[in-house]
Amino acid sequence: MSLELIANNKVHGGWHKRYSHKSTVNNCTMTFAIFLPPGVDETAKAPVLYWLSGLTCTDENFMQKAAAFKTAAELGIILVAPDTSPRGEGVADDPEGSYDFGLGAGFYVNATEEPYKQHYQMYDYICTELPALIDEHFPSNGKKAISGHSMGGHGALVIGLRNLGQYTSVSAFAPITNPLNCPWGEKAFSGYLGKDRESWKAYDSCELLSHTPADKCPPLLVSQGMSDNFLESQLRPERLVAAAEQADVSLCLEQHPGYDHSYFFISSFIDQHLRFHAQYLS
Ligand SMILES: CC(=O)Oc1ccc2c(C)cc(=O)oc2c1
């Protein structure tokens, strides 16, 4: 599969690059960004941290606002940030054009409902198509971890927990932990997956974690700002803690007083998350 380079910037001794490519699973052109730390090449390969962004974001928000490059360069970690949904002509959006469904809000699921199923196959895109592309075109050493924010934190937890053994570690900032039972999740899952709530369970991190064998669970780190406006209405980290207790799995939940839902919060703790992943990736 061929890639088209659309941006190229030297940063902290490494390279930030943006590419577009034809996605077979999403049936449209997709864009992603990658950071290549200094010194990586075919003879010195590096592990990859996949970053899943939240509602309204593209591949650009994390790269421009998270302040992750200096530490990723130091640790020798490749960062990959995909877009949050398919886009382009013919890609269905929310009929009301709202921010929490449709474009910029793919929720990292494989849609089964019309008219979304033609393009919204973000689960397969993140789990299969994108890693294959990264491994084909860049010097990745085959080890990967996953992280994300809010809707992307939900995506990271779900993908890490459904693919045990594939991601060395999983982390999330302010994740939507229980989309089965919160307004953002109920709206998105009804639209993408239909009325049968049983089919939603495969995309709910609380549901998945409560059934995860403790000896197979990847190391988990979750950071949550305590002044986050969405904490009680949408995020509910205490439900993830309860699921971890049910499965006897260890989950590190860090609660940070005063922090909100923004990239001010993410940029304050991204170094900690990178160092957490580096322990298992190296
Ligand atoms: C750039 C930025 O601030 O991103 C951002 C803002 C708000 C949200 C909300 C409300 C939810 C989410 O999933 O992601 C997200 C991302």
Side-chain angles (χ1 to χ4, degrees):
M1 195 70 78
S2 70
L3 297 178
E4 188 186 339
L5 183 67
I6 52 180
N8 194 27
N9 315 96
K10 190 163 186 182
V11 56
H12 284 287
W15 290 92
H16 162 263
K17 294 167 185 275
R18 293 185 76 208
Y19 291 93
S20 65
H21 69 99
K22 288 258 176 275
S23 163
T24 308
V25 297
N26 283 333
N27 191 22
C28 67
T29 299
M30 294 293 296
T31 303
F32 69 86
I34 187 166
F35 170 69
L36 297 163
V40 297
D41 60 26
E42 278 313 305
T43 58
K45 294 185 173 187
V48 180
L49 176 66
Y50 288 87
W51 172 268
L52 305 186
S53 287
L55 293 169
T56 73
C57 291
T58 67
D59 61 284
E60 296 192 278
N61 301 79
F62 176 77
M63 292 298 185
Q64 293 183 6
K65 292 184 163 180
F69 299 131
K70 187 164 184 254
T71 301
E74 179 205 319
L75 298 172
I77 298 176
I78 297 173
L79 304 173
V80 173
D83 203 349
T84 50
S85 76
R87 295 181 198 267
E89 218 174 296
V91 176
D93 195 4
D94 185 307
E96 277 139 35
S98 60
Y99 75 100
D100 55 4
F101 185 73
L103 300 183
F107 270 82
Y108 306 103
V109 303
N110 288 338
T112 52
E113 295 297 293
E114 295 287 357
Y116 301 103
K117 67 181 187 185
Q118 278 80 4
H119 298 286
Y120 287 79
Q121 301 295 321
M122 287 298 288
Y123 179 83
D124 281 351
Y125 178 69
I126 303 296
C127 293
T128 311
E129 189 174 40
L130 183 61
L133 205 64
I134 297 299
D135 291 346
E136 181 186 346
H137 292 274
F138 301 98
S140 64
N141 69 7
K143 286 199 167 184
K144 60 186 182 194
I146 192 160
S147 184
H149 171 228
S150 194
M151 175 186 74
H154 137 76
L157 289 166
V158 164
I159 288 169
L161 294 171
R162 280 180 60 169
N163 296 278
L164 299 175
Q166 289 198 33
Y167 296 87
T168 59
S169 42
V170 177
S171 78
F173 290 82
I176 304 169
T177 64
N178 187 204
L180 233 66
N181 296 302
C182 79
W184 280 336
E186 292 185 56
K187 175 175 176 180
F189 287 9
S190 305
Y192 294 133
L193 305 173
K195 289 196 185 106
D196 176 13
R197 296 177 73 101
E198 273 303 302
S199 71
W200 300 8
K201 290 184 177 173
Y203 296 108
D204 186 279
S205 62
C206 288
E207 186 66 32
L208 293 165
L209 186 57
S210 67
H211 296 110
T212 299
D215 61 334
K216 300 256 169 22
C217 192
L220 299 172
L221 171 64
V222 172
S223 296
Q224 177 63 60
M226 298 315 286
S227 295
D228 186 322
N229 287 336
F230 303 102
L231 183 54
E232 280 167 26
S233 56
Q234 307 278 8
L235 308 175
R236 308 304 298 253
E238 75 283 1
R239 294 183 187 164
L240 197 65
V241 170
E245 280 167 7
Q246 201 179 319
D248 205 15
V249 158
S250 125
L251 162 70
C252 179
L253 169 66
E254 299 213 331
Q255 298 174 294
H256 297 287
Y259 288 90
D260 63 17
H261 200 66
S262 71
Y263 269 81
F264 290 108
F265 170 50
I266 296 169
S267 62
S268 301
F269 296 98
I270 193 69
D271 284 3
Q272 183 204 358
H273 280 239
L274 289 167
R275 293 186 194 287
F276 164 75
H277 290 292
Q279 291 173 73
Y280 307 101
L281 285 168
S282 57

